[in-house]
Amino acid sequence: MLDIKVMRENRDAVLAAMEALGATDAPVAEALDLDERRRQILATVEVLRAERNAGSKQIGQLMRAGNKAAGQAAQARMSEIGEEIKRLDEELAQVEQAFGDAMLSIPNLPHPSVPIGRDETENVVVRTEGEPRTFGFEPKAHWDLGTALDIIDFDRGVKLSGTRFYVLKGAGARLQRALIAWMLDLHTTQHGYTEIYPPYMVKS
């Protein structure tokens, strides 16, 4: 998630970055407006609470001094302040929820070194390792092989989770599990890492 301070101080740069990413629908302006409203509410509530604290002390002083009318007027004002604080707190909860949702919908800023492209066809090769293998036949793409071997199901993956998702099945699922186990073994036995299995559910 982006730092809201960075967004406040670099609004135009953030909007330009969203344009470059093709994320023109990212709710940057909405998030900044909600942030401004959130800060306004917090500032107002702080002033009202300070007034309520001072007024509560004043009520006791007025009552002890025998100025009942002024004390009752002060009590009425404290009641009004309490209602206003309650209303603002409710609005603040709604604003913070909307703000959090908006912030989660804004992609990270691209690094300055990353070239901008419309899609994966404009990716830039940074380096290659070794020489590409040559074959005496025309190799098939993994999506064709996986479907032919019945180890990957693209249609079901898209139905479950959306575009570009897939379901591994049979040997495909076992291969995935074997690769995970191999990587864990490699890094725990040779690279000094400690394997951790955290709770599946976490607090926000």
Side-chain angles (χ1 to χ4, degrees), residues 21-43:
L21 287 171
T24 53
D25 59 343
V28 174
E30 179 186 349
L32 288 168
D33 289 343
L34 288 165
D35 171 59
E36 178 64 24
R37 180 56 186 153
R38 180 185 61 160
R39 289 190 293 157
Q40 289 173 352
I41 294 172
L42 289 170

Side-chain angles (χ1 to χ4, degrees), residues 150-191:
D150 196 29
I151 63 174
I152 188 166
D153 188 332
F154 291 102
D155 292 338
R156 192 166 295 173
V158 170
K159 185 177 180 181
L160 286 170
S161 303
T163 306
R164 294 179 182 263
F165 285 93
Y166 52 84
V167 171
L168 294 173
K169 51 194 289 194
R174 290 197 300 276
L175 176 60
Q176 173 85 343
R177 180 159 42 85
L179 286 170
I180 292 170
W182 175 71
M183 286 299 293
L184 284 169
D185 291 344
L186 172 69
H187 290 294
T188 54
T189 60
Q190 296 187 29
H191 297 159

Side-chain angles (χ1 to χ4, degrees), residues 30-198:
E30 179 186 349
L32 288 168
D33 289 343
L34 288 165
D35 171 59
E36 178 64 24
R37 180 56 186 153
R38 180 185 61 160
R39 289 190 293 157
Q40 289 173 352
I41 294 172
L42 289 170
T44 302
V45 169
E46 185 177 349
V47 170
L48 289 172
R49 284 182 174 150
E51 182 181 349
R52 184 172 62 180
N53 291 339
S56 297
K57 296 177 183 177
Q58 185 184 38
I59 290 170
Q61 294 171 349
L62 290 169
M63 291 300 190
R64 284 192 296 273
N67 194 342
K68 187 176 179 181
Q72 290 175 337
Q75 284 179 329
R77 174 57 184 158
M78 293 308 99
S79 180
E80 289 176 2
I81 290 175
E83 288 299 317
E84 181 65 6
I85 290 174
K86 180 181 177 182
R87 186 191 68 77
L88 288 170
D89 282 342
E90 290 173 354
E91 182 185 352
L92 179 62
Q94 294 174 351
V95 168
E96 288 186 332
Q97 178 66 52
F99 172 73
D101 292 343
M103 291 295 288
L104 287 172
S105 300
I106 299 171
N108 287 325
L109 300 177
H111 192 273
S113 67
V114 176
I116 302 301
R118 290 170 298 180
D119 53 40
E120 62 268 19
T121 63
E122 297 186 0
N123 287 347
V124 175
V125 177
V126 176
R127 66 177 183 275
T128 58
E129 298 290 339
E131 293 294 327
R133 289 181 61 185
T134 57
F135 300 92
F137 56 89
E138 184 177 350
K140 291 184 177 181
H142 72 273
W143 49 85
D144 292 327
L145 283 172
T147 303
L149 294 170
D150 196 29
I151 63 174
I152 188 166
D153 188 332
F154 291 102
D155 292 338
R156 192 166 295 173
V158 170
K159 185 177 180 181
L160 286 170
S161 303
T163 306
R164 294 179 182 263
F165 285 93
Y166 52 84
V167 171
L168 294 173
K169 51 194 289 194
R174 290 197 300 276
L175 176 60
Q176 173 85 343
R177 180 159 42 85
L179 286 170
I180 292 170
W182 175 71
M183 286 299 293
L184 284 169
D185 291 344
L186 172 69
H187 290 294
T188 54
T189 60
Q190 296 187 29
H191 297 159
Y193 286 90
T194 299
E195 183 176 350
I196 298 292
Y197 187 84

